[in-house]
Amino acid sequence: MLVDSHCHLDRLNLSKYPNGLTGAIDAAKELGVSKMLCVCISEENKQQVLDIALQHEGIYASVGVHPSDVSESIVSVEQLKNWSKDEKIVALGETGLDYYYSAEKAEQQKESFANHLIAGAELGLPVIIHTRDAREDTLTLMREYASSHSAGVMHCFTESWEMAQQALDLNFYISISGIVTFKNADALREVTKKVPLDKLLIETDSPYLAPVPYRGKPNEPKYVRAVAEAVADLRGISFDELAETTSRNFANLFLKNKL
């Protein structure tokens, strides 16, 4: 059993599937992917993300505003709490800070990120964090507002081991994407070897970042198997152990109040 802990099912390229999204989900399930978390990036797509989760068994959803989608109208704690009422909503985000693409909106991003962390702490929901070129501000806000009980995940992790350690100290999980298979990802492979096994997740972030040997193609949840194989090899454990452990970690983080 595998879990894709972070994907954007509303953005997949479905041209090769005559029955659309159902085909892509079925293709993943045929390769052992039993659960997927469809991640929201804005108010505009939150209903579509939730509808996908409601219509398909084994699919869960998040609600939140990606840092690159932050606008002058910052999502409030109360809005996030109102968006989170459905049983299929298991997380807030993705949120965080991205100074690579959207540094001009740094202050709005920080306010939005803080609100997600506050709402997550109040609701007992984990928070999905995106961070790029914003290491210190990300950690500062996590320390100030994150709940160590509900915590969350550093998704598509590409940062240093030092940052990973500090996130782990706050009870956050570390999620590894297909980037771990890229030729220039030696530093990430070293981090992947060090993350405690009980804090490790895997993801596709599809339709982005397809792993080798599918690099250059649109990514999709079934390719999380390639991520799992690469991580298992790096860790020196069997594929089955890696799949079982990361699936259990997903349940412990996102589904503890749903089971």
Side-chain angles (χ1 to χ4, degrees), residues 19-231:
N19 56 341
L21 181 57
T22 297
I25 292 172
D26 288 346
K29 290 185 175 180
E30 286 174 8
L31 289 179
V33 186
S34 63
K35 292 182 176 63
M36 304 163 213
L37 177 50
C38 185
V39 176
C40 175
I41 62 166
S42 68
E43 182 172 7
E44 285 68 35
N45 84 320
K46 68 180 176 62
Q47 190 59 51
Q48 186 178 5
V49 166
L50 177 56
D51 287 345
I52 289 170
L54 292 171
Q55 293 162 12
H56 297 276
E57 184 179 357
I59 310 297
Y60 298 90
S62 72
V63 289
V65 179
H66 188 284
S68 295
D69 288 88
V70 168
S71 66
E72 293 300 323
S73 178
I74 305 299
V75 64
S76 69
V77 172
E78 288 307 311
Q79 281 177 298
L80 289 164
K81 291 167 75 172
N82 287 332
W83 293 357
S84 304
K85 290 180 178 178
D86 194 277
E87 188 72 11
K88 277 284 188 115
I89 302 296
V90 299
L92 297 182
E94 65 185 281
T95 180
L97 303 176
D98 192 320
Y99 296 169
Y100 182 83
Y101 284 114
S102 307
E104 74 282 356
K105 297 192 290 187
E107 293 308 312
Q108 295 100 313
Q109 287 184 38
K110 286 191 280 188
E111 183 179 349
S112 175
F113 184 27
N115 287 347
H116 284 75
L117 293 170
I118 293 166
E122 292 183 7
L123 293 169
L125 283 177
V127 178
I128 301 165
I129 296 178
H130 166 111
T131 182
R132 190 168 184 186
D133 286 1
R135 185 178 303 172
E136 291 307 317
D137 283 353
T138 299
L139 288 168
T140 295
L141 289 167
M142 288 169 66
R143 292 189 195 101
E144 186 168 357
Y145 297 111
S147 162
S148 61
H149 174 67
S150 52
V153 57
M154 307 297 290
H155 115 85
C156 193
F157 193 81
T158 56
E159 298 289 340
S160 66
W161 172 237
E162 289 73 22
M163 185 175 192
Q165 286 179 299
Q166 293 179 69
L168 290 164
D169 287 344
L170 295 169
N171 202 30
F172 275 73
Y173 288 65
I174 305 294
S175 184
I176 305 300
S177 72
I179 293 175
V180 77
T181 68
F182 295 0
K183 287 182 180 179
N184 62 349
D186 288 341
L188 176 59
R189 283 187 278 275
E190 289 305 309
V191 170
T192 302
K193 293 176 186 178
K194 295 177 180 179
V195 176
L197 203 53
D198 65 348
K199 291 294 183 183
L200 185 66
L201 293 169
I202 54 174
E203 64 172 271
T204 60
D205 199 17
S206 53
Y208 318 106
L209 305 173
V212 175
Y214 310 104
R215 195 172 183 190
K217 299 180 180 180
N219 203 1
E220 54 183 294
K222 71 178 182 180
Y223 295 152
V224 77
R225 188 176 187 91
V227 180
E229 290 168 348
V231 173

